[in-house]
Amino acid sequence: MLHLLLIQCPDERGLVYKVTGVLYGLGLNIVRNSEFVERDDHVFFMRTEFECAEAVVPAALLPELHAALPPSATISLGNLHRPKEVVLLVTKEHHCLSELLVRHAFGELNATIRAVISNHEVLRELTEKFNIPFHYLPHAGRSREAHEAEVLALLASYQPELVVLAKYMRILSPEFVAPYANRLINIHHSFLPAFVGASPYAQAYARGVKIIGATAHFVNEQLDQGPIIAQSVIPIDHTQSAHEMAQAGRDVEKIVLARALKLVLDEQVFVHRNKTIIFD
Amino acid sequence: MLHLLLIQCPDERGLVYKVTGVLYGLGLNIVRNSEFVERDDHVFFMRTEFECAEAVVPAALLPELHAALPPSATISLGNLHRPKEVVLLVTKEHHCLSELLVRHAFGELNATIRAVISNHEVLRELTEKFNIPFHYLPHAGRSREAHEAEVLALLASYQPELVVLAKYMRILSPEFVAPYANRLINIHHSFLPAFVGASPYAQAYARGVKIIGATAHFVNEQLDQGPIIAQSVIPIDHTQSAHEMAQAGRDVEKIVLARALKLVLDEQVFVHRNKTIIFD
Amino acid sequence: MLHLLLIQCPDERGLVYKVTGVLYGLGLNIVRNSEFVERDDHVFFMRTEFECAEAVVPAALLPELHAALPPSATISLGNLHRPKEVVLLVTKEHHCLSELLVRHAFGELNATIRAVISNHEVLRELTEKFNIPFHYLPHAGRSREAHEAEVLALLASYQPELVVLAKYMRILSPEFVAPYANRLINIHHSFLPAFVGASPYAQAYARGVKIIGATAHFVNEQLDQGPIIAQSVIPIDHTQSAHEMAQAGRDVEKIVLARALKLVLDEQVFVHRNKTIIFD
Amino acid sequence: MLHLLLIQCPDERGLVYKVTGVLYGLGLNIVRNSEFVERDDHVFFMRTEFECAEAVVPAALLPELHAALPPSATISLGNLHRPKEVVLLVTKEHHCLSELLVRHAFGELNATIRAVISNHEVLRELTEKFNIPFHYLPHAGRSREAHEAEVLALLASYQPELVVLAKYMRILSPEFVAPYANRLINIHHSFLPAFVGASPYAQAYARGVKIIGATAHFVNEQLDQGPIIAQSVIPIDHTQSAHEMAQAGRDVEKIVLARALKLVLDEQVFVHRNKTIIFD
C-alpha cells in the first residue's frame, strides 16, 4: 500500500536524516523522495512516497515526526489511492470540460467529478452524456454577490476538495476565493503575465506576438495573479487572426489544465507565497 | 543572378496577376513567391525572388510595375547577394556579440559588421579577436543627451543599414531611435509583453513562471513596444534562481537574435503598424 | 462563397501569371494563395482560395485553366464549405477517438464522421454517446485476409473520402491500403522514423531517449513509411517508465492526429512521392 | 566550501537515512540532494551537495559511508570548484567548437580546454584566437589504426578527464573508445535513434520529416548507440532543402552539446547500462 508524506517547515540541518530515520525505524520503505529548500525564506519542503505492509500507517508515525521536526512544521499524510472530490465550473467553451470528462470517464483522473456548474446551458448535453450532474445557475438578472452566493452554496453542498474553473468566464470576488485557498484552479488563456485580463488572444493579435500560450494557476484574491502550476506555448504567425489564435490556443489550454490538475491530484504541488514548488 | 522584389500597397483584385505579368513579360523567372493580405487595413504585401540572365534587371521593370500597381505602392528591388552594413551596440554581456561575431567570421551572416560600439570596455578583447573595430563611448559623467549624440555621430560615420542592440543596456530616447526606424533591432530578455522593462529574469523569478523566453524586435519610440520579429522560450522550474534563469535564458536570447537578424538581412520581414509580416 | 483551386504540374515559367490571369479574367477574387516548386523533380504546386459572387464557379474556369497549363497538370476544384465523409478505425485506446468525436460534436471538424469500426467492443459506449454508428468486427478466429475483407466491405458501404486509423492496432496489407491511397491517415506513437513498428514507448524506454513524440502520416504499402503530415514531441526523463511515457505520449498523439486531420480536411496537404507539401 | 557526494549501489531499505546520518554526524550540511531508484535492476543512485566549514572533508567520511552502505557501493567525492580538464576533437565545422571556446573564454564552463585536435587545418585560426593549442593530425595517407594511435597518443599526453567530439566526423573504433568509457561525449546531428549513421540531414530530407534534432551522448563501442545525455529539436517544413536543414540544425547541435557538457562537468549525470540518470 502506497502512502504519501508531505512536510513543510523552516529549514535546519539534518531534516532529511530525521524524517527518513522515523520511517526507517517504523519499517516503512521509501519508494520516492523529493526535497527542496527555498532559499529566500529558508523553508524546507519534502514529499515522500512510502510503502507500508499494513493498509494503515503506524499510529506512531505522526507523533514521531512531530517530535523530530521543528514545532512549526506542517506534516500531512495522504493516500494516493483515494480519488479526490472535484467540482467543475464552466461557461460556454467545451474543450477543457470535454478533456476532463473524457479522462474521468476512462479512469485517468485520480478524482471523482461530482458536478458541473455553469452560468449557461450550453454544456449540459455534453456533461450529461457522461452522467455527471449539471447545474445551471444563470447570472443574468442577479447581482454579482447574489450569483456568487448561489454558486458557493451549491459548491458547499458537494464539499469538494478541489474546484476547477474549466473556462469559467466570470471574475471571482475575494470572498468567493477565500474558502478555496490553494484548492481553486483556473486555466488562463495566455502565457501569464503577458495579457492578463480579458480577451488575451485579441491582445496577442494586436501586439503581434509570435508565440501564444496558456497558464494553469491557483486563484487568489487578485485576478490572474495566483501561483502558477503549469504553462505551455505554441508558435503562431502573422497569418492568424485573433479567432484562429484562439482556436489554436484551445489545444494548449486543455492539455495544460489537465496536466496541472494531475499534478495537484497527485499532491505534487506545494504552494509557498505566490509560487509553486512542483515535485514531478 | 537572384533578385528580390518587395511590394506593399493597398489591396485590390488582380495584384498577383499584374506583378507576375510584368515579370513574365520581361522574361524573368520567379523562383519563390509569397503574398499576404492584411485584412484589418486591406494592405497587400508581396515578396518575390526572381532570376535574371543578366546581372542587371531590365530598366523597364520598375516603371512597368509602377504603372501596373496602385499609385501609393511601395516597390523596392533588393539584391540578396550584397551583404548589408551593420553596426552592433553592446554593453557587458558577451553571448549575443560572440554569436554574431562568429557567424560573421564564417560567412554565415549576409552582412558586414563594420564596428562594435560599447559604453564599457569589457568586450573589446573579444571584438578585436575578430578584427572588428571597437569603440568605447562611456556614458559615465555625461548627460543622456550628450552620450546619445556621441553614439549617433559615430554611427552616422558608418552609415549602417542596420543597427543591432546586442544586449545594449541603455534605454534609448525617441530622438535616437527616429533616424533608424525599422532598422534598429533589439533583443529583449523576456517573452514580451511579459516582463517589460528592467530585470525581466528577476521579475520572472518573483512571479514563479514555468517558462521564460526572449524577444527580438524593432525598436520604436516606446520601450519594448516595437514590432516583434522572433520569439522563443524554454521551460524552467522552482529550483532555478533568477541568476540561473538568466544563464539559461542567454542561450535563447542569442539564437533568437541571430534568427531575427537573418530574417531581416534576407529581407523576409515587412513592418505594418506595430507588427511584422514574415515570409519565411 | 469561398472556393478552392488545387494545381500540380511540371514547373515552367509563368505558371502563377497564367493561373491568376484566368481567375482575374473571370472576375474571381483571390483571398489566399500559396505556391511551391519542388526542386528535385521540378514540380509546381499551387493552392488558391478564391471568392465568387455566385454559388457556382463559372463553367469556363476549368477549361481555361487546362488550356493555360501544361497538359499533364492535375487541376481540382474544392469546396471548403462541404464537410468530408470520414470513417474511423479504432481498437481499444480512447484518446484519439474521443478527441475526434468531441471536435466533431461541436462542429470543429470540417467533416462528417459516418461510423466507427473496431476489432474490439471497448469503445462502443463512448462512440454511441455521440450518436455515431459503431461496428464491431472482431479479428479473433478469422484470417487476416478474411478480416480485412470484412472491414473493406463495410468501409465501402460508407464510401468515405477519408479513413482515419485513430489507434487501430492492426497492420494493414497493401491490398487494404491500395484503394485509399493518400486518403488513409494513421497516428503512429513515436517520432518517426525513430521506433518504427510495435511498442515504440517500450523501445524509447529501452533506448533512454530524452524526447518522445508522435507522427501522423498517410499510410502506404510499407508499415510506418508513408508521407508524414504532422509531428510533435515532448521531453521525458529517466524517472518515467515505458508505461508513463505512453501516458504522456497520448496527449501528443491526439493533438497531432487532430492537427493532421484538419490540414487534410482543409485541403492544405499535397503529396509528392513520399513527402507532403503543406500550405498552412 | 561546497562538496559533492556521488553514490551508486544495490537498492535496499534505509539508504537515504544511512547516508544522511553519516553526513549529519560529521556536522556536514546538505545543500541539495537527489535520489533515484532504477526499478529494473534495483539500483540506487544518490547525488548530494554538502557544505563543510573546512576546505577538506573529514577523513572519516568515506570510511563511515563504506561501513554504512552495501559492500558493492561505488562512492565518490567530487569538488564542484575544480575545473575538469577537457580536450576537443573537431573536423571542419566551427559551430560547436566556437560555442565551447567562447563559453570557456568567459569562464562559463567548469572546465579547462587543454587542446583542440583536428584532422583538418580549417579550425586552427579560430582555436588560436582563443589561445588554445591546436593540433593537426591528418588522416589522409594513414590507416585508420595508425591515425587513431596518433590521436590516442596525443590525447594521452594531456590526460584529459573528458574528451568532446565537437563535430569530429570520423568513426571511432572500439579500441579508441574503450579507455574513455563514459568520458567521451559526441554530438550527433539527428534526433537519435532516427537517422543513425552518415548524412542525417539528407536522410531527414528524403524521409520528409517535420521535425529535426540533435543528440549529445556518451560514445560506446557501437556507433550512435551510447547513453543519451541531452536532445533537442526544431520544426522544419517542405520548403527547406537538406542543406537548409543542416544550417538550422547547427543551432540546435551546439546548444545541446553545451548543455550536455555542462551536465557532465557538474557531475549531474550517472550512467547505468545504456542510459543516463540526470539530476538537474
Side-chain angles (χ1 to χ4, degrees), chain B residues 33-108:
Chain B
N33 199 34
S34 308
E35 315 111 40
F36 177 67
V37 176
E38 204 277 337
R39 299 194 188 290
D40 297 339
D41 297 321
H42 307 285
V43 183
F44 174 83
F45 300 89
M46 185 167 178
R47 180 188 187 280
T48 303
E49 297 180 14
F50 63 93
E51 283 171 334
C52 180
E54 312 296 314
V56 184
V57 297
L61 179 58
L62 276 178
E64 289 195 23
L65 285 169
H66 275 295
L69 294 171
S72 63
T74 304
I75 306 172
S76 71
L77 281 171
N79 182 335
L80 288 172
H81 300 282
R82 190 185 60 73
K84 289 200 172 45
E85 311 259 301
V86 176
V87 172
L88 312 181
L89 269 66
V90 303
T91 293
K92 289 179 175 175
E93 287 176 272
H94 74 85
H95 57 290
C96 287
L97 176 61
S98 13
E99 186 71 23
L100 299 184
L101 289 176
V102 167
R103 287 177 191 248
H104 182 253
F106 285 91
E108 295 175 2

Side-chain angles (χ1 to χ4, degrees), chain B residues 94 98-99 102-103 106 108 123 126 129-130 251 254-255, chain D residues 94 98-99 102-103 106 108 123 126 129-130 251 254-255:
Chain B
H94 74 85
S98 13
E99 186 71 23
V102 167
R103 287 177 191 248
F106 285 91
E108 295 175 2
L123 297 172
L126 174 70
K129 268 191 214 308
F130 290 91
D251 291 350
K254 71 184 187 184
I255 299 296
Chain D
H94 74 85
S98 16
E99 185 72 22
V102 167
R103 287 177 191 248
F106 285 90
E108 295 176 3
L123 297 173
L126 174 71
K129 270 193 214 306
F130 290 91
D251 292 350
K254 71 185 188 184
I255 299 297

Side-chain angles (χ1 to χ4, degrees), chain C residues 43-91:
Chain C
V43 183
F44 173 83
F45 299 89
M46 184 167 179
R47 181 188 186 281
T48 303
E49 296 181 16
F50 63 94
E51 283 171 335
C52 181
E54 311 297 314
V56 183
V57 298
L61 179 57
L62 275 178
E64 288 194 23
L65 286 168
H66 275 294
L69 293 171
S72 65
T74 305
I75 307 171
S76 72
L77 281 172
N79 182 332
L80 289 172
H81 300 282
R82 189 185 59 74
K84 289 200 172 46
E85 311 259 301
V86 177
V87 171
L88 312 181
L89 269 65
V90 302
T91 294

Side-chain angles (χ1 to χ4, degrees), chain A residues 94 99 103 108 251 254, chain C residues 94 99 103 108 251 254:
Chain A
H94 74 85
E99 185 72 22
R103 287 176 192 249
E108 295 175 2
D251 291 350
K254 72 183 186 185
Chain C
H94 74 84
E99 186 71 21
R103 287 177 192 249
E108 295 175 2
D251 291 350
K254 70 184 186 184

Side-chain angles (χ1 to χ4, degrees), chain A residues 65-264:
Chain A
L65 285 169
H66 275 294
L69 293 172
S72 65
T74 304
I75 306 172
S76 72
L77 281 172
N79 183 332
L80 288 173
H81 300 284
R82 190 185 59 75
K84 289 201 172 44
E85 311 259 301
V86 177
V87 172
L88 311 181
L89 269 65
V90 302
T91 294
K92 288 178 175 174
E93 287 175 273
H94 74 85
H95 57 291
C96 288
L97 176 62
S98 13
E99 185 72 22
L100 299 184
L101 289 175
V102 167
R103 287 176 192 249
H104 182 254
F106 285 90
E108 295 175 2
L109 288 185
N110 192 10
T112 302
I113 298 180
R114 297 291 311 282
V116 173
I117 302 173
S118 181
N119 54 334
H120 286 274
E121 279 282 22
V122 177
L123 297 172
R124 175 184 296 279
E125 187 183 338
L126 174 70
T127 304
E128 294 184 344
K129 269 191 215 305
F130 290 91
N131 305 314
I132 307 289
F134 181 91
H135 300 282
Y136 170 45
L137 294 182
H139 64 270
R142 283 164 179 77
S143 69
R144 177 174 304 277
E145 292 71 26
H147 184 250
E148 284 199 349
E150 276 191 278
V151 177
L152 277 174
L154 183 54
L155 272 179
S157 74
Y158 283 107
Q159 297 192 280
E161 294 167 274
L162 278 176
V163 176
V164 179
L165 308 179
K167 303 293 286 181
Y168 183 64
M169 307 309 276
R170 304 271 299 167
I171 294 172
L172 299 175
S173 70
E175 290 70 35
F176 188 103
V177 171
Y180 293 101
N182 297 342
R183 298 190 294 132
L184 183 52
I185 299 174
N186 183 45
I187 179 72
H188 183 81
H189 40 321
S190 92
F191 177 73
L192 288 175
F195 310 127
V196 294
S199 303
Y201 292 116
Q203 290 184 64
Y205 175 77
R207 182 65 186 87
V209 292
K210 302 301 185 189
I211 293 176
I212 55 172
T215 304
H217 62 100
F218 289 114
V219 180
N220 65 11
E221 301 183 8
Q222 283 174 280
L223 180 65
D224 303 337
Q225 295 294 315
I228 292 170
I229 307 166
Q231 298 189 294
S232 188
V233 295
I234 45 166
I236 52 158
D237 65 30
H238 64 273
T239 65
Q240 288 169 279
S241 65
H243 178 74
E244 288 165 329
M245 287 181 194
Q247 277 188 313
R250 278 182 211 121
D251 291 350
V252 179
E253 292 169 24
K254 72 183 186 185
I255 300 297
V256 167
L257 177 60
R259 186 148 49 89
L261 183 57
K262 182 169 167 45
L263 288 168
V264 174

